[in-house]
Structure formats: C-alpha cells, structure tokens
Amino acid sequence: MAVLRRLTQARRSTTERSALAGEAAAAAAEAALRAGPLAPLTTDAPATGTPEAGATGPGTATAAGTATEAPATGKPGKAPKAPTENHTPDRDDPRAAAFFDCDNTILRGAAIFYLGVGLYRHGFLTRRDIARFAWQQAMFRLHGTEDPDHISDARNTALGIVAGKRTADLEAICEEVFEQVVADKIWPGTRALVQMHLDAGQRVWLVTAAPLEVARIIARRLGMTGALGTVAEARDGHYTGRLVGDLLHGPAKAAAVRALARRERLDLDRCAAYSDSANDIPMLSLVGHPYVVNPDGALRRHARAQGWRVRDFRTGRKAARVGLPAAAALGVAAGATAAAVALRRRRVRG
C-alpha cells in the first residue's frame, strides 16, 4: 500500500504537487501560529495534505516566529530606515499582511548554501556535494535563472541525505548555522521594510523554498509572524526522504500564499509581497502591493512593464551589481576546489 501511495504521488502533475506543497506549508504555518509564542520547535501536529496517513512535516506545530524575541537588526544602535516612496501600510488592518522571499531579498546569498556548509561540518555532506552545489550556485548567479535540473538534483540529494535522520538533529544544526547568518547576512533595507509592516500591526510572513526548519529560525529571529517553507515528510521524529508535494518554489509559493490567505481571511489586494527573482512573479502578481527587491534582470524588466516598485539595496553601478555576484559565486566555487586540493595534499604529506 505504501508503494502504491508513493507511485500515486510520483504521477501527480507539477501543478498538483505545487498545490500540495502550498497547502502543506500553509497548514504548518497556521499550526505554528495557533501554538502561540515560544512553542517548542519539535512539537508534532498533523499536516494537511500529507501523502501518507500519520506522516507529518517535522515540527509543524512550531512557533515559526514571534514578536516576543528581540529581532536581529544588523549593527547595534543603528536602526535601518525604510526607503522612501513605499506605500504606507494601513495600521492594524486584520486583512492585510506582507510576504517576503528570503534569498537575496532578506538574506545575502542562499539559505540552502549556508545550511549546506553546516551539514558538511556535521558530516552530512561530502566535499563533492559542496563543490556541486557551489557550481550550481555560480551558474545561477551568472545567468540569473535557476536550472530545473539543478533544482531537481539539489532536492534529491538533500532528501537522500536526511532520509532516516532525526528531525531534532537537523533543527539543532539549523539553529547553530542561522543564529550567526541572520546576524551577519540580512539586508538592512529589507529589514526596515519588514519592521515597517510590523510597526503597522500587520502580520509578516517569510516565504521560501528553503526547508521549513530554516525558515522558522530566520522568521523568528526577525520578529516575523511566521514562515512558509518546504515541508519534508517525517514519521516518528525521523525524515522519510520525501517531500509533502514539492519544493516551495515558483508557483508553489503562490499556492502557499493563497492557502494561507484563505485560512487567515486575508484580502490579498491589501497585502504586499517582496522578492528578487522572476521565479516569484506568480506570488508577486497575487497581491495589491508587489515590490521588487535586488531584482534579477528578468524581474526588473517585468517590474518596469507592470509599474511595480523597485528597491535595490546593492551598492555600485548597475554593471557592478550584475557582475560582482557572478564573479563572487565563481570565486567561491574556485576557492572551495582549491581548499579541497590543499587539504588533500596536506593529508598525503602527513
């Protein structure tokens, strides 16, 4: 029976998997919200739409983010200022919320890369895994678009790594990695936009393809209401090696926002969304106040055609903004390779 269920899931269309991923993310986020502040990270609760009876996304009843913890603000003593010409959020509007993408919108770089480094340090990943991920990240930076084959490869590798592992172990690694990352890698300008919505009494959600465990930590440290992230199926405190639906990426993000809006009775015309990537056009198109932050070329062109607001917190001229990330990513890949070679030489000599 379990084999039949897995085959049935595999035969689902991309649209169906995106819808399932969105529903699972919204169910986990709502469960966390209902659990209240300071709920333990490993509390289990059923996730709507899981592919097997009794399976849940890990920690689906987690407090994804609360305003009770002091948010990360970057440099102490200097509160960032929101850019001018933003729309003014209506105060205490119960039907308005803001949705923020993570990678390159809030966080400098990719959350999954930082997680990969942490997993490598704890023996979950090999040097070959890190080199492959670094190369894929370099190609993304160079071309400005994500290769579907790379996304599939990363997903399958990650699921193979965590299959059978304890959910508590990954949560502990995420805590260790992202406490420092959140402090050092947040764009102050986007952080100010988050705070603008919080100060208006609105709910603020992180929406990311990163694992839910990562998303919760970043959202909590920023004082956000909660997080929508990729839900990995778990049973009895261990990962099964399957996702609930698919990665929360592209159309799946839009599905998650729609599902959460339905559950929380939000009016999307009153909501705002922020992203850097053309992959998030479906999510940005849902809301009445779409913002483009540190955009890739395709999203910048789309924003210009649609009249969407653009905020770029990167410094330097446009050519430098486009070229430096690609060069930096290629440098990371080259540096990782050089470091691996040097380490191997030292071991041979020893």
Side-chain angles (χ1 to χ4, degrees):
M1 184 62 70
V3 172
L4 178 60
R5 277 192 289 263
R6 285 196 294 272
L7 288 173
T8 301
Q9 183 184 6
R11 290 170 182 166
R12 288 187 176 118
S13 69
T14 301
T15 300
E16 289 172 326
R17 292 198 303 272
S18 292
L20 181 56
E23 287 289 344
E30 188 180 43
L33 190 63
R34 297 293 173 260
L38 304 180
L41 282 175
T42 55
T43 302
D44 289 329
T48 300
T50 49
E52 294 189 18
T56 67
T60 52
T62 299
T66 70
T68 59
E69 183 174 347
T73 57
K75 294 182 179 180
K78 291 187 178 181
K81 295 182 179 179
T84 58
E85 299 181 5
N86 296 301
H87 84 279
T88 302
D90 294 331
R91 289 198 61 82
D92 301 319
D93 184 349
R95 302 196 66 193
F99 300 93
F100 284 82
D101 169 55
C102 182
D103 296 350
N104 298 317
T105 301
I106 285 182
L107 191 68
R108 294 184 179 95
I112 197 68
F113 176 77
Y114 299 121
L115 177 60
V117 172
L119 291 174
Y120 171 73
R121 289 173 179 167
H122 287 269
F124 281 72
L125 290 174
T126 66
R127 286 197 299 271
R128 178 175 294 181
D129 294 326
I130 289 293
R132 184 170 71 253
F133 290 153
W135 174 253
Q136 291 170 358
Q137 180 74 356
M139 291 301 98
F140 168 64
R141 290 295 181 201
L142 187 62
H143 298 292
T145 58
E146 292 166 314
D147 188 317
D149 291 337
H150 289 177
I151 295 171
S152 178
D153 179 42
R155 175 191 61 201
N156 294 334
T157 299
L159 291 174
I161 289 166
V162 302
K165 299 293 194 302
R166 295 195 318 142
T167 58
D169 291 341
L170 182 60
E171 288 166 357
I173 293 171
C174 290
E175 287 278 1
E176 175 188 313
V177 171
F178 285 94
E179 285 299 309
Q180 188 62 39
V181 167
V182 171
D184 295 341
K185 303 295 184 181
I186 299 298
W187 290 106
T190 315
R191 178 68 188 88
L193 292 171
V194 170
Q195 194 61 47
M196 177 182 71
H197 287 278
L198 291 172
D199 289 344
Q202 291 188 355
R203 286 166 284 182
V204 181
W205 299 87
L206 186 69
V207 189
T208 175
L212 183 60
E213 294 81 356
V214 170
R216 285 195 303 248
I217 292 167
I218 296 174
R220 188 180 70 230
R221 292 293 293 130
L222 293 176
M224 290 176 156
T225 308
L228 298 163
T230 296
V231 178
E233 183 186 289
R235 185 187 295 279
D236 299 327
H238 292 76
Y239 293 107
T240 66
R242 294 185 294 274
L243 296 180
V244 181
D246 209 339
L247 289 174
L248 202 71
H249 180 268
K253 281 189 182 181
V257 168
R258 264 195 306 266
L260 186 67
R262 184 181 68 249
R263 291 166 177 269
E264 294 294 309
R265 295 184 173 86
L266 298 173
D267 181 352
L268 288 173
D269 286 340
R270 304 185 196 180
C271 293
Y274 301 79
S275 179
D276 72 299
S277 172
N279 294 310
D280 288 337
I281 288 174
M283 178 180 76
L284 293 168
S285 299
L286 287 179
V287 301
H289 301 284
Y291 280 86
V292 171
V293 178
N294 304 331
D296 60 32
L299 183 56
R300 186 182 292 273
R301 290 189 293 273
H302 186 86
R304 188 180 298 118
Q306 297 294 320
W308 291 353
R309 300 176 181 91
V310 178
R311 298 288 176 265
D312 201 325
F313 302 125
R314 298 166 293 188
T315 58
R317 293 174 298 179
K318 181 177 179 181
R321 289 199 301 265
V322 173
L324 286 177
L330 290 169
V332 167
T337 302
V341 170
L343 180 61
R344 180 171 295 181
R345 285 175 178 170
R346 283 199 299 271
R347 287 177 175 173
V348 170
R349 290 172 184 171

